[in-house]
């Protein structure tokens, strides 16, 4: 057995462990564990500094998980976009491939609680139906291996799936969504990365939420992926008590860049049954974005998105930078709240005037194709070159 598998085995994962380790009432522990499984491996457990800290909140169950009756289990209507159980196909050219229901840790805020954690073994038939669907849909050029955590699979099983995808000519890129670099960095082994690099272009998106997760072990794991030519991005979830603070987020994105990980998305927490206590007002997210853009490397600034309830996909939310218009001037503010004006190009000016100078025509030529066409027509009438 590999080290990471041994570490998984040593996880806190039963109701009894919750009682022994965290002093839960036995009855509560059983109830919570039945609702959504607990799994905290010794590495992630070692990152906890005190009860209720940002690491604890992400992995130790909370009695409030039992309170959220009436909230949806599938807030993003992923089932509605699932032509076969292993695929969620919402966007035109890319699809999620849910390769396993297992995770190396069960995040208390998970939006896919309904799907992950069930111990049912994934069958080859389940995987094959996903491969068949993707292969029958030539519009899918980007496949995102997700789950659960695809790196819970053994290298052999993972390679079968990735090789299966690579054999489909229209699949241009393969992305792997995995929390391993954050929660169990020991999973990133040299044999894993040498397998992955045979199937480029491969991208990895990982999931760090707090600067305390940026340990030397995590740095090593991300470095190994990057050394194998795999660009690594990060998706964070904004959560009350974990990272709903601009200083914490600034520290996180800077640390990620240092670990060669590019912050990609910051998600507004979804309205999921059993995870409502993590939600923050959108104003908090906007404030954080306001304190990132301009204040640190643009490379460190993720997109802040709300995954639209009901399945509308990710919608980017930005602080207001355009304050208004004054005639043809756009009034804007910068990251320091200083006001600037930009004289816009007026659509009116673009109309053909009496002055048919070459210069004007040249400028117009660079506009839309529609205009380019008009220009060509006129060129025949008024030869200018
Ligand atoms: C997030 C997501 C994707 C990928 O979106 P990108 O913006 O391309 O990263 C694809 N499908 C589903 C269902 C998703 O939720
Ligand atoms: S790793 Fe992802 S899928 Fe698994 S519990 Fe955490 S958020 Fe959910």
């Amino acid at each position: 057995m590999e080290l990471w598998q041994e570490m998984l085995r040593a996880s806190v994962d039963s109701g009894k462990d919750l009682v022994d380790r965290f002093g839960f009432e036995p009855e509560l522990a059983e109830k919570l564990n039945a609702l959504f499984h607990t799994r905290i491996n010794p590495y992630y457990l070692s990152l906890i500094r005190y009860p209720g800290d940002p690491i604890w909140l992400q992995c130790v169950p909370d009695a409030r998980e039992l309170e959220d009756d009436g909230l949806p289990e599938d807030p993003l209507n992923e089932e509605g976009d699932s032509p076969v159980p292993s695929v969620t196909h919402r966007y035109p050219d890319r699809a999620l491939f849910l390769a396993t229901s297992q995770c190396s840790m069960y995040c208390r805020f998970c939006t896919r609680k309904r799907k992950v954690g069930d111990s049912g073994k994934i069958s080859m038939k389940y995987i094959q139906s996903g491969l068949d669907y993707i292969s029958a849909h030539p519009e899918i050029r980007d496949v995102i291996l997700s789950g659960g955590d695809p790196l819970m699979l053994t290298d052999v099983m993972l390679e079968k799936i990735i090789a299966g995808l690579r054999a489909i000519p229209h699949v241009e890129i393969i992305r792997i969504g995995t929390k391993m670099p954050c929660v169990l960095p020991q999973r990133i082994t040299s044999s894993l990365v040498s397998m992955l690099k045979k199937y480029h272009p491969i991208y990895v998106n990982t999931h760090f939420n707090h600067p305390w997760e940026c340990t030397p072990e995590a740095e090593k794991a991300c470095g190994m992926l990057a050394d194998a030519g795999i660009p690594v991005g990060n998706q964070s979830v904004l959560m009350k008590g974990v990272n709903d603070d601009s200083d914490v987020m600034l520290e996180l994105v800077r640390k990620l860049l240092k670990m060669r990980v590019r912050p990609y998305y910051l998600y507004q927490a979804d309205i999921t049954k059993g995870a409502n206590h993590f939600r923050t007002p959108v104003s908090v997210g906007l404030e954080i974005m306001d304190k990132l853009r301009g204040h640190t490397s643009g490379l460190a600034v993720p997109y802040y998105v709300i995954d639209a309830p009901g399945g509308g996909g990710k919608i980017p939310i930005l602080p207001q930078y355009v304050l208004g218009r004054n005639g043809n001037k756009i009034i804007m503010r910068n990251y320091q709240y200083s006001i600037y004006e930009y004289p816009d190009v007026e659509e009116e000016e673009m109309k053909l005037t009496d002055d048919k100078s070459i210069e004007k025509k040249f400028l117009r030529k660079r506009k839309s194709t529609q205009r380019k066409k008009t220009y060509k027509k006129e060129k025949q009438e008024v030869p200018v070159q």
Side-chain angles (χ1 to χ4, degrees):
M1 207 187 293
E2 292 187 59
L3 173 66
W4 65 274
Q5 288 167 317
E6 276 170 28
M7 291 176 76
L8 276 176
R9 283 220 168 170
S11 293
V12 169
D13 70 354
S14 64
K16 184 172 176 308
D17 288 348
L18 287 176
V19 175
D20 296 346
R21 183 63 82 148
F22 302 112
F24 276 82
E25 299 258 340
E27 202 187 324
L28 179 63
E30 289 305 333
K31 257 196 205 160
L32 284 167
N33 217 30
L35 194 72
F36 185 52
H37 201 83
T38 304
R39 177 177 284 156
I40 315 167
N41 70 63
Y43 166 79
Y44 200 74
L45 193 65
S46 77
L47 303 185
I48 294 180
R49 298 185 187 179
Y50 54 84
D53 77 14
I55 304 294
W56 170 296
L57 289 177
Q58 294 185 68
C59 61
V60 180
D62 187 298
R64 286 173 293 180
E65 292 175 23
L66 300 165
E67 286 169 9
D68 302 334
D69 269 344
L71 292 183
E73 289 191 3
D74 179 18
L76 309 177
N77 187 28
E78 291 188 323
E79 305 291 341
D81 282 329
S82 290
V84 294
S86 52
V87 173
T88 304
H89 189 188
R90 166 167 304 151
Y91 292 109
D93 67 343
R94 55 213 189 278
L96 295 186
F97 191 161
L98 309 179
T100 170
S101 59
Q102 297 281 307
C103 299
S104 50
M105 165 174 126
Y106 292 110
C107 312
R108 305 324 296 175
F109 51 88
C110 182
T111 196
R112 228 173 261 155
K113 283 184 179 180
R114 70 186 190 286
K115 275 212 106 113
V116 303
D118 53 353
S119 46
K121 279 248 182 270
I122 294 272
S123 63
M124 207 50 221
K125 201 173 125 210
Y126 169 93
I127 297 289
Q128 193 56 48
S129 70
L131 290 173
D132 290 345
Y133 177 85
I134 291 163
S135 140
H137 288 261
E139 70 275 20
I140 300 175
R141 39 161 291 286
D142 173 1
V143 175
I144 301 151
L145 276 180
S146 181
D149 194 322
L151 294 192
M152 284 297 281
L153 301 169
T154 59
D155 292 0
V156 173
M157 186 61 189
L158 190 65
E159 180 159 17
K160 268 192 197 153
I161 298 176
I162 295 179
L165 289 170
R166 262 289 155 256
I168 303 172
H170 56 263
V171 173
E172 294 172 7
I173 69 167
I174 298 170
R175 295 196 243 177
I176 301 174
T178 175
K179 230 182 132 76
M180 290 291 187
C182 172
V183 295
L184 188 55
Q186 294 77 3
R187 172 66 185 100
I188 311 303
T189 57
S190 44
S191 49
L192 174 72
V193 296
S194 32
M195 182 275 279
L196 291 176
K197 72 195 237 198
K198 290 191 283 176
Y199 300 96
H200 273 313
I202 300 252
Y203 289 74
V204 162
N205 265 331
T206 185
H207 181 176
F208 287 81
N209 288 320
H210 192 277
W212 293 355
E213 296 167 337
C214 301
T215 62
E217 291 90 337
E219 180 167 18
K220 179 170 172 233
C222 296
M224 285 169 74
L225 291 166
D227 283 345
I230 301 172
V232 186
N234 186 66
Q235 317 197 147
S236 296
V237 179
L238 186 56
M239 281 177 284
K240 188 156 53 183
V242 175
N243 55 14
D244 57 339
D245 177 286
S246 54
D247 291 333
V248 169
M249 204 53 93
L250 184 64
E251 188 186 343
L252 173 65
V253 294
R254 285 180 173 162
K255 286 200 159 147
L256 287 171
L257 270 197
K258 261 179 87 182
M259 305 195 318
R260 305 164 76 185
V261 176
R262 166 88 153 93
Y264 178 48
Y265 282 139
L266 171 62
Y267 287 101
Q268 174 70 8
D270 295 321
I271 310 166
T272 309
K273 186 173 173 167
N276 210 39
H277 52 287
F278 284 115
R279 291 175 68 215
T280 53
V282 170
S283 58
V284 171
L286 286 172
E287 161 106 20
I288 289 172
M289 294 310 293
D290 197 49
K291 298 240 168 96
L292 293 182
R293 171 64 63 199
H295 296 273
T296 192
S297 320
L299 271 176
V301 182
Y303 291 99
Y304 175 39
V305 295
I306 299 182
D307 223 330
K314 300 172 185 70
I315 301 176
I317 313 287
L318 263 182
Q320 278 298 352
Y321 289 102
V322 174
L323 305 178
R325 266 183 181 266
N326 180 4
N328 81 329
K329 291 202 180 80
I330 295 184
I331 318 293
M332 316 169 287
R333 58 108 178 155
N334 74 352
Y335 72 104
Q336 295 166 312
Y337 283 79
S338 311
I339 308 291
Y340 296 86
E341 289 181 357
Y342 176 81
D344 199 5
V345 179
E346 277 197 76
E347 289 288 315
E348 278 302 297
E349 273 179 25
M350 304 310 302
K351 288 216 180 97
L352 198 60
T353 60
D354 287 340
D355 178 9
K356 290 179 179 168
S357 72
I358 295 169
E359 256 168 59
K360 273 219 162 151
K361 287 194 169 241
F362 181 68
L363 276 175
R364 290 177 65 242
K365 193 179 167 189
R366 293 169 26 179
K367 287 293 150 188
S368 68
T369 16
Q370 188 57 45
R371 292 206 178 97
K372 224 190 223 158
K373 274 185 203 147
T374 330
Y375 170 65
K376 268 189 195 147
K377 236 192 268 158
E378 287 159 8
K379 206 169 107 183
Q380 290 165 353
E381 292 158 19
V382 190
V384 287
Q385 278 168 338

